[in-house]
Amino acid sequence: MSVEMKVFSSREEWLTARDRIGGSDAAAILGLNPYTDNQKLWEIKTGKLVPEDISEKPYVKYGTLAEAPLRELFALDFPEYKIGYEKNNMFVNSKYPFAHASLDGWVKDPDGRVGVLEIKTTEILKSMQKEKWKDRVPDNYYIQLLHNMLVTEFEFAILKAQLKYSYNNDVFLHTRHYKIERSDVIGDIELLKQKELEFWQYVRENKRPPLVLPQI
């Protein structure tokens, strides 16, 4: 089989193995990551820049700690799916040696089809952030789903998103679920594959790619 799942014994081993394009990297290649650009990603992948350790930032810690209970809630709310998860997992695909995918989980539907499970938490602080979630998946998360389907070859992807609002010292939580069928986005997956291949060629040649500015 072309797809293999590796499970590392520690987070440190998992971090060391992330030397390819991961799901959270992919949007920067297309200029669809609001926080970084493709040249900074290239500097990281070529060892010229050490990425900032953001693991202790409050919003990152919250998302990390919330992942397991949100996965359990998904299993309770959608009992028709069988849920799988392994800590420090990494999927690789011999067809795409430039990429890897680490999943928040995977699901099997009643027909036996397997899909990606992605879990996101975000705090809505500005109206602009709210607008990005209006009737759609934000671009950077959509690209991450495409990347993960590319690597795993799974048939669909489900995003469980918890949107958190604070108002007058009260906290309001709004949960959304988005399902994307691979067959509906095969053209987008193919385009992403080509863009990742082009980017990885710049990495291999140690040649800085033309700047793609983030689209805010």
Side-chain angles (χ1 to χ4, degrees):
M1 291 182 64
S2 58
V3 182
E4 176 189 0
M5 183 183 73
K6 300 180 179 181
V7 178
F8 296 92
S9 60
S10 68
R11 177 174 173 78
E12 289 70 30
E13 287 187 14
W14 175 78
L15 287 170
T16 301
R18 297 174 67 199
D19 56 354
R20 312 182 193 196
I21 300 170
S24 59
D25 299 323
I29 296 172
L30 300 178
L32 294 174
N33 186 324
Y35 309 108
T36 191
D37 60 52
N38 65 319
Q39 289 194 351
K40 288 182 181 177
L41 179 63
W42 175 84
E43 289 174 355
I44 291 171
K45 296 304 178 182
T46 55
K48 295 175 176 59
L49 178 67
V50 177
E52 179 188 2
D53 182 3
I54 61 173
S55 60
E56 292 302 312
K57 290 186 178 293
Y59 69 93
V60 175
K61 291 182 69 174
Y62 179 90
T64 300
L65 294 173
E67 182 185 307
L70 288 174
R71 188 166 46 242
E72 292 177 12
L73 280 173
F74 181 88
L76 290 172
D77 291 331
F78 299 94
E80 66 271 26
Y81 291 108
K82 293 181 179 179
I83 314 298
Y85 174 70
E86 290 285 349
K87 190 175 181 180
N88 300 320
N89 73 79
M90 181 179 290
F91 288 80
V92 293
N93 189 323
S94 59
K95 297 178 186 176
Y96 315 118
F98 53 86
H100 68 250
S102 294
L103 305 186
D104 297 334
W106 44 91
V107 296
K108 182 180 288 189
D109 70 12
D111 296 323
R113 301 187 313 147
V114 182
V116 171
L117 176 62
E118 186 70 30
I119 296 171
K120 295 296 184 187
T121 62
T122 187
E123 186 167 5
I124 304 297
L125 300 174
K126 300 177 182 178
S127 59
M128 183 176 67
Q129 291 174 298
K130 184 178 180 180
E131 193 67 23
K132 289 184 177 181
W133 286 96
K134 187 177 181 180
D135 302 322
R136 64 193 298 272
V137 176
D139 291 335
N140 52 324
Y141 297 151
Y142 175 66
I143 298 301
Q144 185 171 358
L145 294 174
L146 296 182
H147 175 92
N148 289 343
M149 283 191 284
L150 170 69
V151 174
T152 63
E153 301 185 10
F154 289 171
E155 291 299 316
F156 61 94
I158 296 176
L159 170 64
K160 180 183 180 68
Q162 177 189 275
L163 312 185
K164 184 179 178 182
Y165 305 80
S166 298
Y167 182 73
N168 286 344
N169 295 321
D170 283 331
V171 174
F172 300 88
L173 301 177
H174 184 187
T175 303
R176 296 183 181 181
H177 298 91
Y178 304 84
K179 184 178 182 182
I180 298 174
E181 291 285 347
R182 182 187 186 90
S183 58
D184 292 334
V185 296
I186 195 68
D188 288 348
I189 293 175
E190 182 64 24
L191 175 61
L192 177 63
K193 181 185 77 173
Q194 293 303 320
K195 293 298 184 181
E196 291 191 9
L197 271 169
E198 292 172 11
F199 174 83
W200 200 248
Q201 190 64 26
Y202 284 110
V203 173
R204 292 181 63 187
E205 295 176 357
N206 198 28
K207 180 180 177 182
R208 185 178 294 272
L211 177 63
V212 181
L213 288 173
Q215 301 175 26
I216 307 300

